[in-house]
Amino acid sequence: MNTTTQIELHTALRAWAKGIYPTEAAVELLIRTGLVGAGDTWVQPGEDPGWWWIDFEGLAGALNEGTPHSGGERRLLSIAASLGGYSPEGFGLADALPGLDRNRLALVLAAVAHAGGSHEHHDTSALVNAAAAGQPLDRSMLAGEPLGSLHPWPDQL
C-alpha cells in the first residue's frame, strides 16, 4: 500500500528534476496542473524509499496508446512529455496550444521560460554598450543584475 502524500510526491519529484531546466519545467507543469499522482503509470518510485521520478518515455507511450484524460489534459501531458525529452506520436505545439485555456497557457509559457533558463539570465547591457562604444570589455560586465524569469510561474491556476 502506498502511503506517499501528494506533497511528499511533489517534493520528491522536484528534488529528482533539480538542475535540469526542461525536466524541472515538465515536473512543475505536471504538478501545477494536477496531472501527476503516485498511481499514474509514468510516475515511478525510486530505489530508495521516498524517491520518485517521471518516466517521460512511458508518458509518451501512454499518450500514444490512449489515456482516459480530457483533450486539454492530453495536450498538457504531451507538452510535459516533450519537455521531458519524449514526444507522443504526431505531437505538435500547433495542435496543443490553441486548445488550452488562459490559465493553463500561462503555465505552459512559464514552463517554456523555465526550460530555456530565463530565470538565470542576467542583464549584460553594460557589456553590449561597452562593445558598441569600442570600450574595453571586462568579465564583470557578464554578471549584471538578475533579470528574473521571462514569464514567471503563476501563483494559482
Side-chain angles (χ1 to χ4, degrees), residues 56-148:
F56 289 110
E57 184 176 17
L59 172 55
L63 289 164
N64 289 338
E65 292 172 12
T67 66
H69 296 89
S70 71
E73 291 170 337
R74 288 182 54 81
R75 288 180 187 93
L76 290 165
L77 289 167
S78 295
I79 292 167
S82 182
L83 287 167
Y86 294 91
S87 294
E89 293 173 13
F91 169 76
L93 285 176
D95 296 322
L97 296 177
L100 297 177
D101 65 33
R102 188 173 184 86
N103 292 332
R104 284 169 177 74
L105 186 57
L107 290 172
V108 170
L109 290 171
V112 169
H114 188 91
S118 76
H119 59 290
E120 295 288 335
H121 292 172
H122 288 77
D123 182 1
T124 57
S125 59
L127 178 69
V128 172
N129 293 339
Q135 297 173 344
L137 304 180
D138 184 313
R139 276 189 170 276
S140 67
M141 294 175 181
L142 291 173
E145 291 294 317
L147 294 173

Side-chain angles (χ1 to χ4, degrees), residues 13 16-30 54 56 79-86 108 110-119 153:
L13 289 172
W16 166 75
K18 188 157 182 65
I20 304 170
Y21 296 156
T23 306
E24 288 177 353
V27 166
E28 197 64 28
L29 183 61
L30 291 171
I54 301 288
F56 289 110
I79 292 167
S82 182
L83 287 167
Y86 294 91
V108 170
V112 169
H114 188 91
S118 76
H119 59 290
W153 290 100

Side-chain angles (χ1 to χ4, degrees), residues 35-54:
L35 292 173
V36 66
D40 294 321
T41 59
W42 55 86
V43 179
Q44 298 292 312
E47 291 182 18
D48 295 326
W51 283 95
W52 293 85
W53 61 283
I54 301 288

